[in-house]
Amino acid sequence: MLDPLAVEHARFGFDSAHPERSAKRPVRGTQVLAAAALALVFAIAAAKTPTLTFGAFHVAALSFFAATILWRLVAAASAGRSEASLEQVRAERKHHLRVDGGAGREAAGGGARADYEEGASGGSGGKSNGPHPLSRAHARQLPYRGRAGRRFDVAPRRYTLTTLSQWPTYTILCPLYREANVVAELVAALGRIDYPTEKLDVKLLVEGDDPATIAAACLAAANAPRIEVVVVPPATPRTKPKALNAGLARARGDYLAVFDAEDRPHPQQLRAALAAFDAGHRTLACVQAPLAIENSEDSWIARQFAAEYAIQFTQALPLLARLGMPLPLGGTSNHFRTEALRAVGGWDPFNVTEDADLGYRLARDGYCCGVIAPPTWEEAPIAFRAWFKQRTRWLKGHMQTWLVLMRNPAQCARQMGWRAFASMQLILGGGIAAALVHAPLAFVLLAAALSPQDLLSPTDYALALFGYGVAMFAALAANSNGQSHARAALTMPLYWPLSSLAAYWALFELLFRPHYWSKTEHGLSVRTHHPIAASSAPIARTSASL
C-alpha cells in the first residue's frame, strides 16, 4: 500500500506543479467569456448581413473539413507507398545478408516470418543481437524532424548493446481496476516479452477497493519475482493517470512502458523501442507501438473499431511522426524515456484521455514522439453500450485536452511551434468537430437528397462523396498485420453518426462530471493466441514466469 504522501502526490502533484496545464478545472472563465463574445459577434453579423455571414461560415466549414479529408487521403496514400515498397526493402536486405554473410535465421515457430524480418548482425564487435522486427505496415519508419530541425530516424532497428550488464532497466506499468478475469492472461503475455528478466521492473497498479483484482494479481505474480503488485488507496480522481503517477514514483527503469489489462504485446516490442531511442535524438521522449484489434469479427461495432485503429496507427500516426508533428498518443503501448516523462510532470490525473494530453505536452516542452513496428493486440468493445461509454470518455478527454491547450493559444503556439499548433487544431480540434456534426450532417444530406428543392450546392454533395471515398480508401489501404477492413469500409457512413451521440453526452459530462472515468469491461471475447505473439525466438533468457 502506498503511503499517504505518495497518494497525495499522485493525485495533486501535477496540478500543483503545472496548474496552467491541468484539467482539474477544464473550462476557465476567460474561455467562457471569449466564447460568449464570439457568439455575440456572430449573432450581430448574422442579423445585419445574413447572406454574407452564413456564406462565409459555409466556406470556412467546407475548407476545414476539406483539409481534414485531404489529410486522411495523404496519410492513406503514404501508408500505401510504404506497403508497396516493402518487398523491395526485404529484397535489398536479403541481398545484403547473402553478400555479407549475415545470419538471416528464421525465428523459431516460423509464424513471425511473414510479418517480421530478422536483422543483419551488427553492434559492438559485429556480434548479433538477434531478430529485428519490421512491420509490414511500417516497412521503413521515416525520419522525424525535431524542434531544432535535426533529422533522425525512428525506425525499429536492433538494439546495439551486446552484454546483459549493459541493458537498461525497463519499467512496465499496468493499471488494473476490476480486471480479475484477465490478470493471469496479462501476466502470461508479459512473460513472453523478450528482454533480460533481471532488467525488468513490472508493476501491477491495483485500486485498494478492488479485492478481487488484488487477489488475482498477487496469485498471478506469486512466482514472478520481477512483478510488484502496488495497491493504490481509493481516492479521487478515480482515473487511470492517477494510478500511473503512483507507479511512476516507484519506477526504477531508465525506460518505461504502459500496458492495459487486455493487452498482448509483441515479445520484441521493448527491444524495438530501445532501438528507436538508441537511434534517435535525446529529444525523442516517447515511441508509440501500433494497436491492433484481435476480436474484430465478434460484432459490427468491433469491425468498425478495428478499422478505426488500423487507420490511426498504420496511417495517421506514422505520417505525423514523419512530418515532425505532435502525436495524440494511444492509451497503451507507449514507451518513454523515464527522465523525460518526469520532466514534464508525468500524467495529468484529472484528464480522462491522459495519453493525447501527454503527447501534446511533450511537444510544448520541446520533446518529440515517434512510432515503432511490433504491435499490441487488444480487445474491442462488442456491444453498443460498452462502445458508447468508452467513446464518450475519449471525446470528453479530447475536449479537456483542447480546452487546456487553448487557454493561451499564442503561448501554446510559440511553445510547440506554429506548424505543430496548426496540426493540433486539425487533428484534435477536427476530430472533436467531426464527432459533433456527423449526425446533423447525415440528416441534412438525407433530407436534401429526398427534397425536390436544391437545399445543398453541388460542392456540398461532392465534398460529402469525396469524404466517404477517402474513408473507404483509408480503410481498404490500412493493413493491421494482415487484417482486411473491406466489410467495415462499406458501412462506415452508418457508424459515424453514432459518434455524435457520444460527443453530445461527452459535452454534458464535461460540464457536470468532467473527471468521471467510465470503465470499459474486458475479457468478453474469446482471445486467440496470435501467432505473432508466440513465434519469436528468445534473444535474452527469460524465466517461465517473467
Side-chain angles (χ1 to χ4, degrees):
M1 183 76 72
L2 293 176
D3 62 81
L5 286 178
V7 174
E8 288 302 296
H9 183 75
R11 296 171 66 197
F12 303 115
F14 180 81
D15 181 66
S16 299
H18 308 279
E20 74 287 352
R21 298 186 180 184
S22 171
K24 186 177 181 182
R25 289 176 52 225
V27 183
R28 297 292 174 89
T30 53
Q31 292 175 308
V32 174
L33 292 176
L38 286 174
L40 179 62
V41 169
F42 183 82
I44 294 173
K48 291 186 176 181
T49 57
T51 303
L52 178 61
T53 301
F54 286 104
F57 180 78
H58 186 202
V59 171
L62 285 178
S63 301
F64 183 78
F65 283 108
T68 60
I69 294 170
L70 183 61
W71 154 256
R72 290 296 182 184
L73 177 62
V74 172
S78 299
R81 287 197 300 271
S82 295
E83 178 71 15
S85 66
L86 177 64
E87 294 306 322
Q88 179 181 355
V89 172
R90 286 178 169 169
E92 292 174 355
R93 172 171 295 155
K94 291 177 181 178
H95 175 71
H96 174 74
L97 291 176
R98 285 196 301 268
V99 171
D100 293 350
R105 299 181 306 276
E106 186 166 341
R113 187 65 177 178
D115 290 300
Y116 291 87
E117 294 285 331
E118 292 186 359
S121 61
S124 177
K127 297 179 181 179
S128 173
N129 286 322
H132 158 49
L134 180 65
S135 168
R136 183 181 297 274
H138 302 313
R140 180 178 293 169
Q141 296 299 346
L142 295 160
Y144 187 103
R145 186 180 295 277
R147 287 288 304 276
R150 178 174 179 176
R151 292 177 67 84
F152 56 91
D153 192 2
V154 294
R157 302 172 182 166
R158 271 181 310 103
Y159 194 39
T160 56
L161 301 184
T162 56
T163 61
L164 293 183
S165 62
Q166 293 179 287
W167 288 84
T169 301
Y170 216 119
T171 293
I172 298 176
L173 300 182
C174 301
L176 308 173
Y177 184 55
R178 300 206 303 264
E179 304 284 10
N181 59 324
V182 296
V183 172
E185 295 179 29
L186 170 65
V187 171
L190 297 178
R192 292 189 290 271
I193 288 179
D194 197 356
Y195 200 80
T197 306
E198 65 275 14
K199 293 295 186 178
L200 286 174
D201 170 37
V202 182
K203 301 187 185 302
L204 306 182
L205 310 172
V206 191
E207 294 288 326
D209 60 350
D210 185 8
T213 304
I214 293 175
C218 291
L219 180 63
N223 296 319
R226 300 297 172 180
I227 294 182
E228 176 187 7
V229 178
V230 179
V231 178
V232 182
T236 57
R238 302 301 300 271
T239 61
K240 171 183 170 181
K242 181 200 71 178
L244 289 174
N245 280 337
L248 177 61
R250 301 169 67 94
R252 297 185 292 104
D254 302 299
Y255 299 90
L256 182 148
V258 176
F259 293 120
D260 284 342
E262 80 278 18
D263 286 354
R264 305 293 179 264
H266 188 281
Q268 293 175 341
Q269 194 175 116
L270 269 62
R271 291 176 60 91
L274 282 176
F277 286 126
D278 188 53
H281 191 262
R282 289 294 300 175
T283 56
L284 180 63
C286 174
V287 291
Q288 171 74 58
L291 307 181
I293 297 303
E294 195 172 26
N295 63 327
S296 59
E297 295 302 314
D298 284 5
S299 69
W300 177 74
I301 284 282
R303 281 195 295 274
Q304 295 293 334
F305 197 96
E308 282 185 311
Y309 260 39
I311 293 170
Q312 178 75 355
F313 289 100
T314 71
Q315 296 177 3
L317 293 189
L319 182 57
L320 285 173
R322 176 186 181 183
L323 297 176
M325 297 294 104
L327 268 60
L329 299 172
T332 177
S333 303
N334 322 124
H335 298 257
F336 299 93
R337 295 186 196 269
T338 309
E339 179 183 12
L341 180 58
R342 286 177 170 146
V344 300
W347 290 273
D348 180 1
F350 293 95
N351 193 310
V352 296
T353 51
E354 77 294 337
D355 40 15
D357 168 70
L358 182 53
Y360 288 112
R361 277 197 289 115
L362 286 168
R364 294 183 74 172
D365 286 342
Y367 290 102
C368 317
C369 295
V371 295
I372 55 175
T376 292
W377 292 90
E378 284 203 326
E379 177 186 357
I382 58 177
F384 173 77
R385 178 178 174 83
W387 174 91
F388 181 82
K389 292 167 62 178
Q390 185 185 67
R391 190 56 52 100
T392 296
R393 175 173 60 81
W394 286 1
L395 288 168
K396 179 174 64 175
H398 289 170
M399 293 173 186
Q400 289 177 325
T401 300
W402 187 83
L403 287 168
V404 168
L405 292 169
M406 293 300 290
R407 285 174 181 170
N408 190 334
Q411 181 189 64
C412 180
R414 286 194 302 270
Q415 289 172 341
M416 68 170 57
W418 289 97
R419 289 174 62 248
F421 183 78
S423 168
M424 179 272 293
Q425 298 292 359
L426 185 67
I427 304 302
L428 184 64
I432 297 170
L436 289 169
V437 304
H438 268 316
L441 282 181
F443 176 78
V444 169
L445 285 170
L446 182 62
L450 298 176
S451 173
Q453 306 295 324
D454 293 332
L455 301 180
L456 295 176
S457 68
T459 304
D460 298 324
Y461 287 114
L463 185 61
L465 290 175
F466 180 58
Y468 176 51
V470 168
M472 284 194 64
F473 172 66
L476 293 172
N479 186 333
S480 49
N481 292 280
Q483 285 185 335
S484 171
H485 303 287
R487 295 172 63 190
L490 294 174
T491 56
M492 273 185 172
L494 302 177
Y495 176 70
W496 296 335
L498 299 179
S499 63
S500 294
L501 303 179
Y504 303 148
W505 191 247
L507 272 175
F508 173 82
E509 288 198 351
L510 180 69
L511 296 175
F512 296 102
R513 48 177 188 177
H515 310 126
Y516 171 71
W517 187 284
S518 183
K519 176 73 176 66
T520 304
E521 189 175 358
H522 300 124
L524 302 180
S525 294
V526 177
R527 303 291 296 274
T528 60
H529 195 54
H530 200 275
I532 289 180
S535 57
S536 296
I539 299 171
R541 184 179 300 275
T542 57
S543 68
S545 56
L546 183 59

